[in-house]
Amino acid sequence: MKIIEHINKAKGTLFSFEILPPLKGESINSIYNAIDGLLEFNPSFIDVTYHRQEYILKKRKDGSFDRIATKKRPGTVAICAAIQNKYNIDAVPHLICGGFTKEDTENALIDLHFLGIDNVLALRGDALRTERSFVPEEAGNSNALELIHQIENMNSGIYLDEELSNAHVTDFCVGSAGYPEKHADAPNKHSDMKFLKRKVAAGAEFIITQMFFDNKGFFEFVDACRENGINVPIIPGIKPIATKKQLQVLPNVFNIEIPVELSNKVEACANNGEVRQIGIDWAINQCKELIEAKVPVLHFYTMGKVSSTKAICSEIFK
Ligand code: FAD
């Protein structure tokens, strides 16, 4: 079922979460264990992230290096199919531009369609660690907007091969990312909003936000979206902080701020067990206020570790 249908049918705030494919060489059981731990809260959908190929340098005997391409977390499409098959819960694969030609994208979408997957989160993807800024694949999509256009074309029966006539029409519900605190590459929030508006005009039917720790910024983002004519559901992304290290890592990787009150509390903790509890309490307060504001869904970034999400859901969905 489409995410938009879940939201339209809902009587209150829904629950969803994101998982990462296991590292190469690990079994899918870690995914099942994570999902099993959250089933009691009746997730409406489960997002599965996509991880592009990276390059590592391997030293040769003579001291020179081989540049080796490796995908550390393969399996997004297969995991989505497995989730739908095992749990009958909608799985939302993330589809990125980075590393994909348009032909690769078309074939990935055909796979998803054949597997009965109705939803896709269309993303650009980040720059490789070795690049200063995002470089699209030759003959690939340069940003999420172009990717959405490609998906919407297939939803109208338009494939890359212009000679295909009467091609099968797909019916994907497409989601897009939104950044309450601005995307790292954007010169300002106004510019980000302009492109978000274009993504929605192109067919994005819902927005999932980057994680944030201060609801005020989320509410301001929603207001700005509405003022700019963006009227699709906006789903807040919740990340329970769990380690001291995340005080540096999360702002660095996700371009977000941690409020002073929260960082002070985390810094005062004697160990990560205490940090985890602070993170849970903080997220519970965030979630209660967001539910009161009637957000359509609370979407949790579990990063494969569900114990904090379980503790939060036990409090807010009881
Ligand atoms: P876009 O919408 O393309 O925007 C990227 C930047 O370019 C923005 O600054 C925007 O303002 C600007 N921009 C957009 N269009 C144009 C244009 N035409 N001209 C000039 N500038 C433009 N990454 C992964 O690799 N895998 C994942 O599974 C994944 N999941 C995510 C899930 C969520 C909910 C979120 C919020 C992010 C996720 N990311 C993931 C990270 C995401 O790929 C990065 O944040 C990426 O840098 C931007 O993706 P986007 O889809 O927002 O890009």
Side-chain angles (χ1 to χ4, degrees):
M1 189 161 108
K2 294 181 176 187
I3 302 307
I4 198 72
E5 290 172 307
H6 282 285
I7 292 173
N8 289 342
K9 276 174 55 181
K11 296 210 164 60
T13 298
L14 301 174
F15 164 59
S16 68
F17 59 95
E18 177 188 286
I19 52 170
L20 279 64
L23 285 166
K24 191 181 269 185
E26 290 179 3
S27 103
I28 196 169
N29 285 335
S30 60
I31 298 290
Y32 294 152
N33 291 340
I35 295 172
D36 289 344
L38 296 173
L39 275 184
E40 62 181 296
F41 307 109
N42 198 17
S44 297
F45 58 93
I46 300 171
D47 274 44
V48 184
T49 55
Y50 189 92
H51 300 259
R52 72 180 287 190
Q53 187 164 282
E54 294 173 54
Y55 294 93
I56 52 164
L57 293 177
K58 208 167 180 184
K59 205 169 186 179
R60 292 200 201 109
K61 277 186 184 153
D62 65 3
S64 62
F65 287 91
D66 274 329
R67 189 167 177 260
I68 297 171
T70 175
K71 210 180 241 189
K72 288 188 181 159
R73 293 183 184 273
T76 300
V77 172
I79 291 168
C80 286
I83 290 173
Q84 294 206 164
N85 186 41
K86 184 170 162 68
Y87 297 100
N88 201 16
I89 296 173
D90 282 295
V92 183
H94 293 186
L95 194 59
I96 63 171
C97 305
F100 279 73
T101 64
K102 288 186 187 173
E103 177 78 15
D104 296 334
T105 301
E106 185 169 280
N107 292 335
L109 288 162
I110 289 170
D111 283 348
L112 294 172
H113 182 58
F114 287 170
L115 287 165
I117 290 166
D118 298 328
N119 303 283
V120 172
L121 191 70
L123 300 149
R124 186 194 71 180
D126 283 323
L128 289 174
R129 267 177 242 168
T130 45
E131 293 167 351
R132 288 186 80 93
S133 59
F134 178 78
V135 179
E137 201 68 13
E138 220 179 299
N141 291 307
S142 302
N143 50 50
L145 176 62
E146 289 184 10
L147 175 56
I148 293 169
H149 279 308
Q150 185 175 3
I151 303 169
E152 290 301 329
N153 273 344
M154 285 177 68
N155 280 349
S156 306
I158 302 167
Y159 289 62
L160 295 172
D161 181 351
E162 286 166 7
E163 284 173 18
L164 274 184
S165 57
N166 295 322
H168 181 71
V169 170
T170 58
D171 191 19
F172 288 109
C173 174
V174 183
S176 172
Y179 301 84
E181 297 176 56
K182 186 182 93 56
H183 183 264
D185 296 355
N188 49 56
K189 286 187 181 175
H190 174 80
S191 160
D192 238 3
M193 188 60 70
K194 183 175 71 184
F195 292 121
L196 184 59
K197 197 173 170 180
R198 285 197 201 160
K199 292 196 283 188
V200 172
E205 291 182 78
F206 63 95
I207 293 166
I208 303 184
T209 75
Q210 183 57 278
M211 65 180 74
F212 58 89
F213 294 92
D214 182 354
N215 285 352
K216 190 167 166 278
F218 171 78
F219 293 135
E220 285 170 4
F221 173 71
V222 174
D223 287 347
C225 285
R226 302 312 181 217
E227 280 161 22
N228 279 279
I230 298 173
N231 292 315
V232 298
I234 302 177
I235 300 173
I238 306 296
K239 161 84 185 112
I241 210 160
T243 64
K244 267 196 185 185
K245 208 172 158 203
Q246 287 174 344
L247 284 186
Q248 281 80 46
V249 173
L250 299 179
N252 185 290
V253 175
F254 300 107
N255 196 47
I256 48 113
E257 269 203 32
I258 310 239
V260 179
E261 190 189 338
L262 177 56
S263 67
N264 282 345
K265 282 183 174 174
V266 170
E267 276 162 9
C269 289
N271 53 53
N272 279 339
E274 285 182 25
V275 176
R276 194 178 151 267
Q277 193 53 50
I278 295 288
I280 291 168
D281 294 343
W282 188 272
I284 288 172
N285 286 336
Q286 271 193 285
C287 290
K288 283 184 174 168
E289 195 181 26
L290 290 164
I291 290 175
E292 200 142 311
K294 298 194 167 33
V295 296
V297 185
L298 287 171
H299 184 70
F300 288 83
Y301 293 110
T302 68
M303 297 182 180
K305 300 196 174 74
V306 297
S307 60
S308 291
T309 303
K310 196 174 161 77
I312 297 158
C313 289
S314 301
E315 183 67 25
I316 58 169
F317 288 119
K318 63 186 177 189

